Amino acid sequence: MGGVVIGSGGEPAFHMLGFCLCLLATAGRAAKSVVQAILMADPAEKMDPMSLVFWVSCELSTST
């Protein structure tokens, strides 16, 4: 997220809404990676990588 802050600092077309949405998207992507790692490591909810890809792709395809 620091790269987003540094990269948008001198931008002539800077807009606060776009900046906040960019930070939100970056934080969301990081949270998704953490949740995926937890799902694959937790013995109670152990998921193999192919099952995880299946469930993530189903979720994304139904929400669009």
Side-chain angles (χ1 to χ4, degrees):
M1 289 176 53
V4 173
V5 173
I6 292 170
S8 62
E11 180 66 31
F14 178 80
H15 194 273
M16 186 54 96
L17 177 62
F19 176 72
C20 291
L21 290 175
C22 188
L23 286 180
L24 183 66
T26 304
R29 178 64 181 114
K32 180 181 177 236
S33 296
V34 170
V35 169
Q36 286 178 336
I38 290 170
L39 285 174
M40 289 186 2
D42 187 15
E45 297 190 27
K46 183 80 172 160
M47 293 185 81
D48 61 293
M50 288 305 294
S51 296
L52 186 62
V53 168
F54 172 76
W55 287 109
V56 170
S57 65
C58 289
E59 176 187 339
L60 292 177
S61 65
T62 58
S63 64
T64 57

